[in-house]
Amino acid sequence: SFEFFPQLKLDAASGRAGNEYLQLGVGIVAIEDGRRFDAVPVKLFDWQRIFRVRDGTMELLARQSYRTDCGYAYEMMVRVALPNDSDTVRFEITLCNTGNRPIDTELYAHPFFNALNGFADSWFTLPGRPERESVREAANSLEVSGMALPKAANMVSAGNLLGRGVTVDIRGIPDFNRVEFWKNADNCFAVEPLWTVSLQPGEQKSWNCLLTVQTSPR
């Protein structure tokens, strides 16, 4: 799945509560200080959705648009495509700033990978670091950003999921602006690529994420 974070703070105007934010792709949410993961929906925005098969490719097309009373407005288009007999799903996300205030946030993918208890031989890769790193031996969280990123920071991987030799590659267009790694106590981890989102009123930008799932031998 994908998320825009941080949320955009809404002005305490038009009777709006001081703890309300615009969550792109979701709606308006209420968040108490320090409780990001306990956001309470105030208003959920509708999606228009179409599923179709065209030229041997299954496609899910979705569109969402909304204008707040605080100057923020946007239109978002999402396309998820899976060609027949392909091991790769393409996610295309396009965001257009249709309001009169800048939109400054980040977009990130957060796939959560299941591993055997204790992480066994599960591994991951981060741009600019050794080719493979052991999930079991890694710190609970890592980040690669700025000067530590190589010129082409466009791919991360995870492998030996659930001990079955499953490998996942995540490629990005454009290149990632930073990448984070996270793991829980014993059986779940994530490799999360992030892109900077900075759109002036009237600007539009697209991000592509390609998710490839394979089993060994490839």
Side-chain angles (χ1 to χ4, degrees), residues 182-203:
W182 167 92
K183 69 176 181 180
N184 70 359
D186 59 4
N187 62 5
C188 182
F189 67 102
V191 184
E192 303 176 330
L194 297 95
W195 295 269
T196 298
V197 177
S198 183
L199 296 176
Q200 294 298 313
E203 283 192 310

Side-chain angles (χ1 to χ4, degrees), residues 37-101:
F37 297 108
D38 296 319
V40 177
V42 175
K43 179 179 178 62
L44 298 177
F45 302 162
D46 292 331
W47 284 93
Q48 297 174 322
R49 297 177 297 273
I50 298 174
F51 177 79
R52 67 188 184 189
V53 178
R54 187 176 64 172
D55 299 329
T57 296
M58 292 184 292
E59 294 182 318
L60 173 64
L61 307 174
R63 176 182 175 273
Q64 183 184 77
S65 61
Y66 195 78
R67 178 174 295 275
T68 71
D69 53 9
C70 298
Y72 287 118
Y74 70 91
E75 181 173 293
M76 186 185 306
M77 287 73 70
V78 177
R79 174 178 178 262
V80 182
L82 176 62
N84 287 346
D85 301 320
S86 175
D87 55 14
T88 299
V89 183
R90 177 185 287 268
F91 301 87
E92 301 175 2
I93 300 173
T94 300
L95 180 66
C96 180
N97 183 351
T98 59
N100 55 28
R101 298 180 65 171

Side-chain angles (χ1 to χ4, degrees), residues 1-199:
S1 59
F2 297 85
E3 181 181 9
F4 287 90
F5 181 82
Q7 298 93 345
L8 305 175
K9 183 74 169 66
L10 298 179
D11 300 329
S14 304
R16 193 166 293 286
N19 65 337
E20 292 186 3
Y21 294 78
L22 172 61
Q23 176 75 67
L24 297 171
V26 177
I28 296 173
V29 297
I31 306 174
E32 301 298 335
D33 289 344
R35 302 188 65 179
R36 169 194 171 187
F37 297 108
D38 296 319
V40 177
V42 175
K43 179 179 178 62
L44 298 177
F45 302 162
D46 292 331
W47 284 93
Q48 297 174 322
R49 297 177 297 273
I50 298 174
F51 177 79
R52 67 188 184 189
V53 178
R54 187 176 64 172
D55 299 329
T57 296
M58 292 184 292
E59 294 182 318
L60 173 64
L61 307 174
R63 176 182 175 273
Q64 183 184 77
S65 61
Y66 195 78
R67 178 174 295 275
T68 71
D69 53 9
C70 298
Y72 287 118
Y74 70 91
E75 181 173 293
M76 186 185 306
M77 287 73 70
V78 177
R79 174 178 178 262
V80 182
L82 176 62
N84 287 346
D85 301 320
S86 175
D87 55 14
T88 299
V89 183
R90 177 185 287 268
F91 301 87
E92 301 175 2
I93 300 173
T94 300
L95 180 66
C96 180
N97 183 351
T98 59
N100 55 28
R101 298 180 65 171
I103 293 178
D104 292 301
T105 182
E106 286 185 314
L107 168 65
Y108 73 102
H110 53 152
F112 293 101
F113 301 122
N114 290 325
L116 296 177
N117 286 337
F119 297 110
D121 296 321
S122 294
W123 54 266
F124 67 99
T125 67
L126 296 177
R129 293 175 66 92
E131 182 177 352
R132 290 185 179 182
E133 300 186 59
S134 166
V135 176
R136 182 176 58 242
E137 297 175 4
N140 290 340
S141 62
L142 298 168
E143 179 180 331
V144 179
S145 61
M147 297 298 293
L149 283 173
K151 289 185 178 179
N154 56 12
M155 182 170 169
V156 295
S157 300
N160 198 30
L161 309 180
L162 285 176
R164 298 173 183 169
V166 176
T167 299
V168 174
D169 297 329
I170 301 174
R171 290 171 287 157
I173 306 170
D175 292 349
F176 311 137
N177 294 108
R178 62 190 183 95
V179 179
E180 293 185 352
F181 164 83
W182 167 92
K183 69 176 181 180
N184 70 359
D186 59 4
N187 62 5
C188 182
F189 67 102
V191 184
E192 303 176 330
L194 297 95
W195 295 269
T196 298
V197 177
S198 183
L199 296 176

